[in-house]
Amino acid sequence: MMNSLKRNYHLMAAFAAMSAFFSLSAGAMSFPLNDKIQKTFLANPLVASFLNVKGNKILFDKAIESNILQTSKFKHYLHGLEVIGSGVNFHINSQNKSSLNINLRNIKVPVVPKYNVDEIRERAKTVLEDDSIHKIILKILPAHGGKPDRLIYELSLINGGIAWFDAVHGTHIATIKEDLNVDSPRWRSFSAAQIGIISTRIPGKSPGDEPCTISDLFGRHLKKYNMIACLQKTQSECQVLNWNKSPVLINPALCKTDVSKDDSAARADANSEKFLDYFALAHGYNSYDGKGAVIVSVVHAGVDYANASWSKKGNYIAYGEGDGITFGDFTKGVDVAGHEMTHALIQNTAGLLSIGEPGALNESLADYFGEQVEDRFDWNIGADLFLNPLTSDNALRDLSNPSRLNGVGPDKSGKLASMPYPNSTRTMAPVVEPCIGKNDFCGVHYNSTVPGHAWYLIHEKLGKEDAEAVIFIAMTHYFNEITDFKGAAAGTILACQTILEQVKCNQVADIFHDVGML
């Protein structure tokens, strides 16, 4: 094990020696500064012709490094507007061979909105029942899921989420959650036990109109605050809960730091260690950001909170103690902890958005790598969380046999219903916009077992080492914000072809055909 760790670290060091090759300035030019990448782009007829179209630019976005492949990702902009998920990836492997992965979209939509910013802001206040809008920008959402190219407004919300509205028709497309519902140099835990406040927001109120009411965790000492005072109060507390006593905001630095005798904190630190060691050993990837970020955990979050979640805004994982009826302490689910921290890794690489098929793909990858971190391979997600494991529902999801368990997904009308989890696209739930919490953001958890089952089948067919390498490369180097099931299948086959013989990649393709992703 130590030799493997040293070998991967040597590979990482070799890539680091080439880091200047990828030190590009974002947004400075339509071409990267590096001559080799520029020549590669111009030598490709598709990219060259694309760049000759007025208004098209390809700008550097990020670099991804692992022990097999190094990738520079470039985003597509049309007349200054980001085209979500459209771009070019420049790859170089450990033998210094380069290749391109082209996912450029020819956009056919006017870039002039019919609704202005103020009109969308007013519409959003009504639709979202919230006026906490931080920023509004125009973007282009390429055709996907049977929908055409669309000019959209992306609204950044103060709570960390985003919302999409059609800039031509004014319709609500989606609300995407970006946040919740040191003992070591690599990880640190905090405790939120019996610390914090409960806050309810009165929608649509302006400063001075009593926008929130606050109590302690046990519903005592009710007090009303205006908007400014409310924000100050919530930012000075360890955690803020809603009236269901689930966390909506946590400030880890304001929680208890003396967790030396806290079993939940000890388990959280052990979970973080397993996550860090797995991705370093198996993939040469350093923490969730590839740069060695410290993993922050908050235990005892909420009150009877039966969940664990990664905060994209705050960069921490929050563990609940469970409801004491069905679920116990969520720090006991190593695969669930690995699942949540993998969400952080995906956020920093593919950036898969938590709606529809991209969101379901995000969940499936988190499930798969949660199993790798746990290193038990029962393929039952969260089995250790159940207080009575003898019940029929003894896991959150089963990647080996998804339909064994029931999930809650949107039916044809978009309403949530209990149904067996799908094994293939033939039984998956339909995507009905807008993608919001009431329809599981268009089935992100329910439909996740389609690609999740594919990952399981690939793992069984190729074996652990080959499968985890192929799926990791696909996730980090080939997927983007709106990769759907078909795109995921194509990207995984390309990733396979970078490291394995074609006969094995044909087997991967057969699996994707079997589950309906191709």
Side-chain angles (χ1 to χ4, degrees), residues 147-440:
K147 300 289 185 180
D149 297 336
R150 287 181 281 186
L151 182 67
I152 67 168
Y153 282 108
E154 182 173 285
L155 286 62
S156 298
L157 308 178
I158 289 176
N159 66 9
I162 62 175
W164 284 349
F165 281 80
D166 191 305
V168 175
H169 302 288
T171 52
H172 181 207
I173 298 172
T175 298
I176 305 171
K177 290 180 65 178
E178 296 289 296
D179 215 323
L180 283 169
N181 273 0
V182 258
D183 300 321
S184 157
R186 297 198 296 166
W187 58 83
R188 187 169 185 179
S189 291
F190 299 86
S191 173
Q194 297 184 348
I195 296 177
I197 57 176
I198 295 174
S199 172
T200 183
R201 184 84 187 281
I202 301 175
K205 297 290 184 178
S206 58
D209 288 339
E210 307 294 357
C212 71
T213 302
I214 289 178
S215 75
D216 65 16
L217 293 188
F218 306 100
R220 302 172 301 208
H221 311 302
L222 292 172
K223 186 174 180 180
K224 291 185 177 181
Y225 290 84
N226 64 33
M227 180 183 290
I228 296 174
C230 179
L231 289 173
Q232 290 174 340
K233 181 65 175 173
T234 58
Q235 291 169 1
S236 64
E237 294 286 339
C238 160
Q239 64 174 338
V240 181
L241 314 185
N242 60 23
W243 288 103
N244 292 324
K245 298 187 178 180
S246 297
V248 294
L249 172 68
I250 296 179
N251 301 304
L254 300 177
C255 300
K256 290 180 180 177
T257 57
D258 182 11
V259 293
S260 58
K261 298 180 181 179
D262 190 319
D263 290 341
S264 295
R267 285 192 295 268
D269 283 347
N271 293 341
S272 297
E273 182 178 17
K274 289 175 182 176
F275 172 86
L276 292 165
D277 286 350
Y278 166 73
F279 281 100
L281 287 165
H283 307 291
Y285 199 76
N286 191 2
S287 191
Y288 61 83
D289 65 347
K291 302 173 184 177
V294 174
I295 295 181
V296 174
S297 303
V298 178
V299 297
H300 310 298
V303 176
D304 299 328
Y305 179 51
N307 205 350
S309 53
W310 179 265
S311 167
K312 292 182 180 180
K313 184 180 180 182
N315 287 320
Y316 58 81
I317 181 172
Y319 295 94
E321 294 180 338
D323 56 12
I325 301 171
T326 302
F327 297 106
D329 194 316
F330 271 66
T331 60
K332 294 180 179 179
V334 178
D335 54 353
V336 171
H339 170 111
E340 296 302 334
M341 288 182 273
T342 300
H343 277 317
L345 191 152
I346 293 170
Q347 173 191 343
N348 282 273
T349 53
L352 284 160
L353 294 168
S354 298
I355 54 168
E357 288 188 17
L361 183 61
N362 194 333
E363 292 295 328
S364 75
L365 291 162
D367 278 352
Y368 176 78
F369 284 107
E371 286 293 295
Q372 307 304 307
V373 172
E374 184 185 52
D375 198 27
R376 189 171 68 193
F377 303 107
D378 60 358
W379 302 105
N380 287 307
I381 308 301
D384 292 335
L385 302 178
F386 286 76
L387 295 177
N388 183 3
L390 299 179
T391 60
S392 57
D393 291 340
N394 58 355
L396 300 174
R397 286 176 292 279
D398 182 348
L399 300 190
S400 65
N401 181 18
S403 61
R404 179 179 75 82
L405 300 171
N406 276 359
V408 178
D411 60 19
K412 292 181 180 180
S413 68
K415 295 181 180 179
L416 292 180
S418 178
M419 304 173 285
Y421 276 108
N423 295 345
S424 75
T425 58
R426 292 174 283 277
T427 54
M428 65 185 275
V431 172
V432 181
E433 291 182 353
C435 299
I436 56 178
K438 291 180 180 178
N439 64 7
D440 187 29

